[in-house]
Amino acid sequence: PPEGHPSIKRTKSGHPNPNPSPNIGRTKSGHATDKPLPEPDPEPILPPAPRPEWLPEEGPAQMSLPPERWAMSLRQFKQLMAGIRSTERYTELKRRHGMVNMYMVCDDFIKPWTAGTGCSIALLMNGEHGLAADAMASHAWGEDNEELEQALDNFYTHLKLDPDQAVWICTLSQYQCKPSLDTDDVGPTIGEQLELDPFTKVIESDGVANGSGLVAIHTTSADLYTRLWCPFEISRAALKKIKLTAAASDSFREAMDADYFYFLKDVAANSDAATAFEMFALKNLTVQTENAQCSFAADEAMIRQHVEQSGGWALLDKIILERRKRFFNDYTRTKASVSSSVQQQLDQSVRESNLRAMKQFESAVPLMGKVLGGVLGALGADEDQGEMDDAFAALEKE
């Protein structure tokens, strides 16, 4: 249902309750009764989170700077999130909901801390000149904020980026306190900011176009390809030939690694890596962006028109699939990037295969088995090339 629909039950903290339980009356023996049971005591209303002492009270007016200067560095992002997570409100939100997504971060922390300033949290932290973006994050607000930070950490580490390089994150880069003109606040409305076409301007800015480009954030807690703004951002970047890359949280990467290893070990004939990866990609990497949704009809109409005029949904899906293949190929098929647990399984599988081969040859041809055992031992122990050449020479001679 749309936001605000009466069928959406909400917790006392104001967030949607994903599992509202019907008020079904039951006797002590467990049988249904016509008499409804009393509602359980509501959880106490959460106290507001105290504003960090290090956060400035004033900043530049949001519209006084171009959108590409509404970014913050990874170091600042981590400082902000550490401040948020240190609060009692964050601890209680996580206890109640199992995670704190970026909607909650915005509603419970960003809005109260920036209300009345007329500028985003990023501009508050960077002062009158703001900070120009080197990358733009395309992400789903339903994601766990901790997974978002992991993904950005992995992205910066993989590309060897300086943590002082800036990333544009819409939740933190835009002023969020004035959804409409009906809201009593000095800042610009969300609509007034969107009239600047900030996503396009950031994607096409010199810093992003010549820097780290557009990075698609992958987490286990939300699928960015179901949020229509994310395919729009990817479509804009592809249209302008801007670098497209991806980042993933640790849990997302581990889930992908496990899936790929399953196809490699238990499904693909002869454990063929290419076949395993194609099956893995069909299951995990294909997208249907045409099914993505947007909160506002006008935004959705604009995005759909843009995609259809820029090659269509099939082309966009293919671009995303191929880019995801490249990204996950790096993380699941190379020893340097695959998670340690999966790599250990792969190594153990190779050792077991070598041992089985050695025993089979030893039982059939004792002399060849003895020499082959030396060869396999050298291979398993990563001995130098000279020792392996000597072993093979001995085998050839026998």
Side-chain angles (χ1 to χ4, degrees):
E3 183 68 15
H5 193 278
S7 67
I8 297 180
K9 296 185 181 295
R10 291 187 172 271
T11 65
K12 279 290 184 180
S13 60
H15 300 293
N17 181 358
N19 299 300
S21 55
N23 186 22
I24 298 176
R26 292 189 179 276
T27 64
K28 287 186 178 180
S29 61
H31 297 291
T33 174
D34 292 335
K35 295 179 67 176
L37 291 178
E39 292 285 347
D41 291 336
E43 296 204 64
I45 297 175
L46 296 175
R51 198 174 191 275
E53 294 181 359
W54 49 261
L55 185 63
E57 296 284 348
E58 298 179 351
Q62 189 76 22
M63 308 292 267
S64 68
L65 292 171
E68 59 267 27
R69 299 201 70 85
W70 301 352
M72 66 166 52
S73 70
L74 177 65
R75 194 186 305 278
Q76 289 174 324
F77 173 77
K78 293 171 78 69
Q79 178 190 15
L80 174 64
M81 299 316 299
I84 288 172
R85 294 174 195 145
S86 69
T87 65
E88 178 185 347
R89 189 177 186 90
Y90 182 90
T91 302
E92 184 61 17
L93 284 171
K94 187 172 181 178
R95 183 190 72 78
R96 294 184 186 184
H97 301 281
M99 70 168 183
V100 178
N101 64 31
M102 292 303 289
Y103 287 110
M104 298 178 196
V105 167
C106 183
D107 290 342
D108 291 83
F109 303 95
I110 303 305
K111 288 181 180 180
W113 293 352
T114 59
T117 65
C119 66
S120 68
I121 195 90
L123 287 181
L124 276 182
M125 295 178 72
N126 283 294
E128 62 176 328
H129 300 297
L131 191 63
D134 297 296
M136 178 175 172
S138 185
H139 70 114
W141 285 38
E143 72 208 345
D144 183 343
N145 78 93
E146 296 177 23
E147 282 198 81
L148 170 60
E149 182 171 332
Q150 282 181 353
L152 288 173
D153 269 337
N154 291 335
F155 172 67
Y156 273 65
T157 299
H158 183 63
L159 294 183
K160 298 180 173 61
L161 301 178
D162 189 310
D164 289 322
Q165 288 183 257
V167 59
W168 206 93
I169 305 169
C170 56
T171 319
L172 310 176
S173 295
Q174 292 179 278
Y175 188 59
Q176 302 292 348
C177 299
K178 195 171 183 178
S180 70
L181 290 171
D182 297 331
T183 306
D184 184 17
D185 192 282
V186 298
T189 65
I190 299 294
E192 287 170 336
Q193 294 171 79
L194 290 179
E195 286 176 4
L196 298 177
D197 196 7
F199 307 123
T200 299
K201 283 185 168 61
V202 174
I203 290 167
E204 296 179 6
S205 66
D206 288 342
V208 173
N210 299 317
S212 301
L214 182 72
V215 53
I217 303 295
H218 295 76
T219 68
T220 60
S221 44
D223 181 357
L224 77 157
Y225 302 105
T226 63
R227 178 178 179 254
L228 196 55
W229 279 108
C230 296
F232 168 75
E233 292 158 1
I234 294 169
S235 177
R236 291 297 305 180
L239 183 66
K240 295 296 181 178
K241 299 181 176 61
I242 305 298
K243 181 190 298 183
L244 292 170
T245 187
S249 66
D250 293 345
S251 56
F252 191 93
R253 286 169 56 178
E254 288 165 5
M256 295 297 101
D257 288 345
D259 247 15
Y260 169 69
F261 180 71
Y262 164 73
F263 285 117
L264 178 66
K265 182 180 178 182
D266 297 327
V267 179
N270 301 317
S271 294
D272 180 71
T275 301
F277 190 76
E278 283 305 308
M279 290 187 289
F280 162 81
L282 283 172
K283 177 179 183 290
N284 295 286
L285 305 185
T286 57
V287 295
Q288 291 182 310
T289 52
E290 189 173 9
N291 295 334
Q293 297 182 345
C294 188
S295 300
F296 297 98
D299 294 340
E300 180 163 342
M302 179 276 294
I303 293 171
R304 292 191 180 281
Q305 181 181 31
H306 162 78
V307 173
E308 287 159 8
Q309 292 177 350
S310 304
W313 300 100
L315 174 61
L316 180 57
D317 290 350
K318 183 64 173 174
I319 289 171
I320 292 172
L321 172 61
E322 293 304 317
R323 193 59 195 84
R324 294 181 92 193
K325 278 184 178 181
R326 285 180 58 190
F327 172 74
F328 289 108
N329 183 60
D330 291 342
Y331 278 99
T332 59
R333 296 182 68 189
T334 65
K335 187 178 179 69
S337 298
V338 75
S339 68
S340 58
S341 60
V342 173
Q343 186 61 49
Q344 289 169 4
Q345 295 177 67
L346 286 168
D347 291 343
Q348 179 64 28
S349 177
V350 171
R351 285 194 295 270
E352 290 173 356
S353 176
N354 287 347
L355 183 60
R356 286 195 299 271
M358 182 177 69
K359 288 181 177 179
Q360 289 169 358
F361 275 93
E362 282 180 340
S363 62
V365 187
L367 182 58
M368 182 179 289
K370 181 178 179 181
V371 180
L372 183 61
V375 175
L376 293 171
L379 286 170
D382 292 325
E383 297 293 343
D384 61 37
Q385 187 66 40
E387 290 190 31
M388 297 197 322
D389 289 344
D390 292 342
F392 277 115
L395 176 60
E396 183 177 3
K397 181 179 180 181
E398 295 298 338

